[in-house]
Amino acid sequence: MWVVGRNSGPVRGRAILRCMETPDNATEAPATPRIADQDWATASTDPQYRAAVVDLLGALAYGELAAFERLAEDAKLAPTLADKAELAKMASAEFHHFEQLTRRLTEIEVEPTEAMEPFARALDDFHRQTAPSDWLEGLVKAYVGDSIASDFYREVAVRLDSDTRSLVLAVLDDTGHGNFAVEKVRAAIEAEPRVGGRLALWARRLMGEALSQAQRVVADRDALSTMLVGGVADGFDLAEVGRMFSRITEAHTKRMAALGLAA
């Protein structure tokens, strides 16, 4: 969805070329090594791939910083001291992920703030437009928004070089917020069933806003969007993009069921 746009023409063209028969007297070109089979030192010799990874790490880093800030704010809405402490622990984990990403950017000679800057406005706008009105909405927002982002980045990670892939998967480790949100939301619905309808509508709005925000971000970054549809990293044709979003949507539906909400 958000990765199909102005680059769809070239991708479609490549798909057609792949389907054409190779003449009997033609010599097939040697297979190009897959990005996923290379390390960073090898893969980053392609300047477009390097630019795409810098964008990806910049987006992830700002997302982790925003998650840290959001969890700190959500802690103010927590009904008990135990809940406040739990959110503080999660916020700390998010900030640790942020530090890992900015350290990696520094290692590859990129200024972290410059890598994050292109993504700040879109993410800030998303959080302004989806400010929760209470504790439960804050929990659902973090659970839905973070999970959709994590699913997307995991899909991308399998096509990254081995070093970048390891880092991305490490920072996507669950901080424990998912289980915490499920426990609290299900308990609230059990105590007051009509709360479920309001939170289900909220979750649907969040998913739509999250996908729209991601679409805007990627559309503005040529190297990143090209990587996602197959121009730099391998394996992303249009059919695979569709399957990817089907998987993300299916995972979202399962999470809503876990929360006790209709997707």
Side-chain angles (χ1 to χ4, degrees):
M1 189 179 300
W2 69 76
V3 297
V4 179
R6 57 190 170 205
N7 294 302
S8 59
V11 174
R12 191 174 292 112
R14 287 193 295 274
I16 293 171
L17 288 174
R18 284 197 298 269
C19 293
M20 294 174 65
E21 293 184 1
T22 302
D24 294 338
N25 61 350
T27 302
E28 291 187 3
T32 303
R34 297 188 321 134
I35 293 289
D37 296 331
Q38 301 175 22
D39 60 12
W40 169 252
T42 303
S44 62
T45 58
D46 180 337
Q48 195 170 26
Y49 176 75
R50 177 184 169 83
V53 169
V54 169
D55 274 351
L56 184 66
L57 297 182
L60 266 171
Y62 194 77
E64 294 291 345
L65 181 59
F68 162 74
E69 293 177 325
R70 186 194 64 234
L71 286 169
E73 284 296 312
D74 288 350
K76 298 176 182 178
L77 300 172
T80 69
L81 285 176
D83 291 334
K84 287 180 185 291
E86 190 66 26
L87 286 186
K89 182 171 68 175
M90 294 172 195
S92 176
E94 299 286 10
F95 193 77
H96 176 61
H97 292 163
F98 166 75
E99 289 180 314
Q100 288 178 280
L101 290 160
T102 55
R103 184 162 55 246
R104 179 59 177 160
L105 285 164
T106 300
E107 288 172 355
I108 62 174
E109 300 181 345
V110 175
E111 170 55 47
T113 55
E114 291 180 6
M116 291 187 290
E117 185 62 35
F119 308 99
R121 180 174 179 179
L123 283 167
D124 289 346
D125 286 347
F126 169 73
H127 288 303
R128 277 194 296 270
Q129 293 163 5
T130 58
S133 63
D134 60 22
W135 161 249
L136 291 175
E137 286 191 2
L139 289 178
V140 172
K141 177 182 174 179
Y143 183 60
V144 171
D146 290 353
S147 297
I148 292 172
S150 293
D151 286 345
F152 174 69
Y153 287 125
R154 284 192 176 92
E155 292 278 352
V156 174
V158 300
R159 293 164 175 82
L160 298 172
D161 67 270
S162 58
D163 298 317
T164 305
R165 180 170 64 249
S166 295
L167 172 61
V168 168
L169 292 177
V171 301
L172 293 177
D173 279 349
D174 185 16
T175 61
H177 198 230
N179 290 336
F180 181 76
V182 168
E183 177 187 342
K184 296 298 180 179
V185 170
R186 289 188 72 93
I189 293 172
E190 186 174 340
E192 190 177 350
R194 59 181 180 176
V195 167
R198 172 172 67 87
L199 294 179
L201 289 174
W202 174 242
R204 284 196 288 272
R205 178 190 166 192
L206 289 169
M207 185 174 187
E209 291 285 353
L211 294 181
S212 296
Q213 177 266 335
Q215 181 179 12
R216 290 193 298 271
V217 167
V218 175
D220 287 342
R221 308 299 295 177
D222 288 338
L224 185 57
S225 60
T226 301
M227 182 183 76
L228 296 182
V229 296
V232 180
D234 27 67
F236 253 101
D237 57 23
L238 291 180
E240 177 55 23
V241 169
R243 289 189 291 270
M244 178 187 74
F245 280 102
S246 293
R247 291 191 292 270
I248 291 174
T249 301
E250 182 180 352
H252 170 73
T253 300
K254 290 179 179 178
R255 289 191 188 98
M256 292 304 95
L259 281 172
L261 303 175

